[in-house]
Each structure stands twice: as C-alpha cells, then as structure tokens.
C-alpha cells in the first residue's frame, strides 16, 4: 500500500536523499530550517510498498544530513483529492441540506473528516458560513488522528491541530488530549453570518492559514504531528460548509 515517510533531523541538515525500500525508490530534499542543536520533524513524501519484510537503504545524494530517526504512516493512498461529498461522519449532528454540509454542536460534539490518516502534506480550501457567539466552540481540525468521543471523555478527543473560529479571535492550537495555543489573530469577520473562504496549507512542520485571500496565521512546530485528516468540528454553534477542496501535496 501507499505510505508516507517522515524524518527527525538536527538543525543544519540540508540534503537530497535517495531512499530504497524493497524495489521502491523515493528521492527527496530535506532541509531543517531551525537553529544548530535543535531537532525538527519533516515529511519526505509518499512511497508505494509491497507486503512482507523489506530492507531500507538511505543514501545522501547531496549535502549533509544529520538524521536521528525515520517514521512511516500507513493509509496514505488515494484519494489524493477530495471534495465536500467525500466526508466521513465521526460523531454528532452532521447532515447535508440544500447543498450544504451542516455540522452542529450539541449534547454530543460533531465532527466530519476528509482524506486519509496517513497523509502528511496537503492543502485545502473550505467555503463556509457559521453561527457563532462568545460561547461557541467550533473550527477546523488539521492533521487529525485518533478521534474518539464518549460522554465521560474530555472534548479534546484527537491528536493534531485545531483552528478555532471565534467571533472576535481565531486561534491555531496543538491538540494532544490537551491544548497548546501556537498562534492567534483578531478577526470579527466570521460573526457577520456571510460566506467566507479559509485556505489551509500543512507542509512539513509549518501550517499556514488564510481567510478570504489574506494570510491570517502561520505557525511552525519542531515536534510536528506529520499525518492526519482534515475535519470540521463543533461542540457548540454551527458551521454550514458549501464547498471543500482538498489535495495532497
């Protein structure tokens, strides 16, 4: 099947690698944009592997590579693209109506996901409007993995990143059954009830978010979660999604 490969390297790494696993070959560039002595997680690309035990050979074709470890993620195959209709309901109130996907918070948190759990890098564009108030809790899940929910469990029930959409503030957080805010920006645009477009790019250890064509947030995470799906989440409030364009990069 198709796998994503990732690597943990030290600052100063700038190289081209040739990775051979069985009969499959992946050539990729790896550059650590961090200080000497720091460690960073980076994605390398996707490779198709046949079944059975296979050996792995890594050659540094060019440059210098200070490699600590490799990691692979299964379920990284097609579809390389997805649209609004390709969602998978995970929990709560998720329904289609008049061409919109409506994700509604309530007694049970609502979540819909797109893509494959093993994908590392992707870009997505979501066209939506929302009903939010000061007490709303809704947003977009990025590289979401291990989603689960039951009544006695905390609401932070996945591992990945979460773009929280508020009526005055938009925040990007790292989630691992707990929350760490990475970046925040003031915006009152979402409270107007009109349609907006959010564009998200997850590449290596960097996440970039644009709202209505303007860059809103950027954040890097040296200990990045490098695989997972795109999702819409609502604990309270509603998101009406008109379109989703998702593409593996």
């Amino acid at each position: 099947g198709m796998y994503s490969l990732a690597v943990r390297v030290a600052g100063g790494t700038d190289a081209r690698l040739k990775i051979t696993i069985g009969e499959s070959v992946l050539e990729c560039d790896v550059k650590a944009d961090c200080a000497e002595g720091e460690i960073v997680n980076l994605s390398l690309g996707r490779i198709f592997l046949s079944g059975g035990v296979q050996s792995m050979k890594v050659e540094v074709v060019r440059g210098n590579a200070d490699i600590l470890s490799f990691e692979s993620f299964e379920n990284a195959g097609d579809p390389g693209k997805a649209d609004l209709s390709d969602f998978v309901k995970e929990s709560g109130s998720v329904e289609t109506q008049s061409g919109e996907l409506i994700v509604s918070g309530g007694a049970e948190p609502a979540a819909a996901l797109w893509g494959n759990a093993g994908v590392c890098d992707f870009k997505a564009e979501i066209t939506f409007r929302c009903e939010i108030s000061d007490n709303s809790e809704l947003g977009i899940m990025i590289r979401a993995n291990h989603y689960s929910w039951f009544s006695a469990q905390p609401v932070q029930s996945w591992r990945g990143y979460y773009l929280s959409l508020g009526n005055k503030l938009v925040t990007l957080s790292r989630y691992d059954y707990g929350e760490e805010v990475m970046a925040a920006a003031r915006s009152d645009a979402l409270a107007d009830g009109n349609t907006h477009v959010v564009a998200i790019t997850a590449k290596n250890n960097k996440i970039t978010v644009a709202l209505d064509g303007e860059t809103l947030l950027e954040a890097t995470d040296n200990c990045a979660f490098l695989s997972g799906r795109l999702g819409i989440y609502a604990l309270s409030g509603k998101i009406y999604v008109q379109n989703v364009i998702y593409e593996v990069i």
Side-chain angles (χ1 to χ4, degrees), residues 7-10 13 17 30 58 60 65-70:
V7 67
R8 188 165 176 80
V9 297
T13 293
L17 305 180
V30 54
V58 180
V60 179
D66 190 352
I67 299 171
L68 281 76
S69 62
F70 288 91

Side-chain angles (χ1 to χ4, degrees), residues 90-110:
E90 290 291 330
S91 66
S93 177
V94 178
E95 60 180 355
T96 55
Q97 189 176 82
S98 301
E100 295 182 315
L101 178 67
I102 306 173
V103 181
S104 307
E108 181 180 349

Side-chain angles (χ1 to χ4, degrees), residues 154-226:
V155 295
Q156 295 93 343
S157 54
W158 73 86
R159 190 189 76 175
Y161 301 93
Y162 179 47
L163 184 69
S164 177
L165 306 176
N167 60 358
K168 295 179 182 177
L169 190 69
V170 177
T171 60
L172 178 63
S173 300
R174 175 188 168 99
Y175 261 46
D176 191 8
Y177 296 91
E179 180 179 5
E180 176 187 350
V181 176
M182 301 168 60
R186 291 195 174 276
S187 176
D188 57 6
L190 300 178
D192 61 12
N194 294 327
T195 297
H196 298 277
V197 178
V198 63
I200 298 167
T201 301
K203 176 70 174 176
N204 279 317
N205 66 326
K206 183 177 181 180
I207 296 174
T208 304
V209 178
L211 180 64
D212 296 330
E214 300 285 338
T215 298
L216 185 65
L217 295 171
E218 290 184 338
T220 58
D221 182 4
N222 283 357
C223 296
F225 300 126
L226 287 176

Side-chain angles (χ1 to χ4, degrees), residues 11-226:
T13 293
D14 187 359
R16 183 164 184 83
L17 305 180
K18 180 180 179 181
I19 301 170
T20 305
I21 304 175
E23 297 183 353
S24 300
V25 177
L26 174 66
E27 293 196 29
C28 52
D29 295 317
V30 54
K31 183 175 182 179
D33 291 324
C34 61
E36 294 283 347
E38 291 186 357
I39 307 298
V40 62
N41 296 341
L42 300 172
S43 59
L44 297 176
R46 296 191 297 166
I47 185 171
F48 184 86
L49 302 177
S50 56
V53 177
Q54 301 176 68
S55 61
M56 176 174 172
K57 177 183 178 182
V58 180
E59 301 171 76
V60 179
V61 178
R62 172 188 55 78
N64 173 67
D66 190 352
I67 299 171
L68 281 76
S69 62
F70 288 91
E71 188 172 6
S72 63
F73 307 101
E74 61 180 348
N75 297 322
D78 290 334
K81 297 182 179 181
D83 59 28
L84 181 63
S85 64
D86 295 319
F87 74 92
V88 174
K89 175 183 173 179
E90 290 291 330
S91 66
S93 177
V94 178
E95 60 180 355
T96 55
Q97 189 176 82
S98 301
E100 295 182 315
L101 178 67
I102 306 173
V103 181
S104 307
E108 181 180 349
L113 296 172
W114 289 260
N116 288 323
V119 167
C120 289
D121 298 337
F122 68 85
K123 60 182 179 180
E125 187 175 282
I126 302 170
T127 304
F128 70 101
R129 59 186 177 91
C130 51
E131 293 180 4
I132 53 176
S133 65
D134 290 341
N135 298 319
S136 294
E137 178 59 69
L138 49 78
I140 299 169
M141 306 158 73
I142 302 168
R143 286 180 173 164
N145 259 315
H146 310 305
Y147 182 87
S148 64
W149 181 86
F150 56 90
S151 59
Q153 181 175 309
V155 295
Q156 295 93 343
S157 54
W158 73 86
R159 190 189 76 175
Y161 301 93
Y162 179 47
L163 184 69
S164 177
L165 306 176
N167 60 358
K168 295 179 182 177
L169 190 69
V170 177
T171 60
L172 178 63
S173 300
R174 175 188 168 99
Y175 261 46
D176 191 8
Y177 296 91
E179 180 179 5
E180 176 187 350
V181 176
M182 301 168 60
R186 291 195 174 276
S187 176
D188 57 6
L190 300 178
D192 61 12
N194 294 327
T195 297
H196 298 277
V197 178
V198 63
I200 298 167
T201 301
K203 176 70 174 176
N204 279 317
N205 66 326
K206 183 177 181 180
I207 296 174
T208 304
V209 178
L211 180 64
D212 296 330
E214 300 285 338
T215 298
L216 185 65
L217 295 171
E218 290 184 338
T220 58
D221 182 4
N222 283 357
C223 296
F225 300 126
L226 287 176

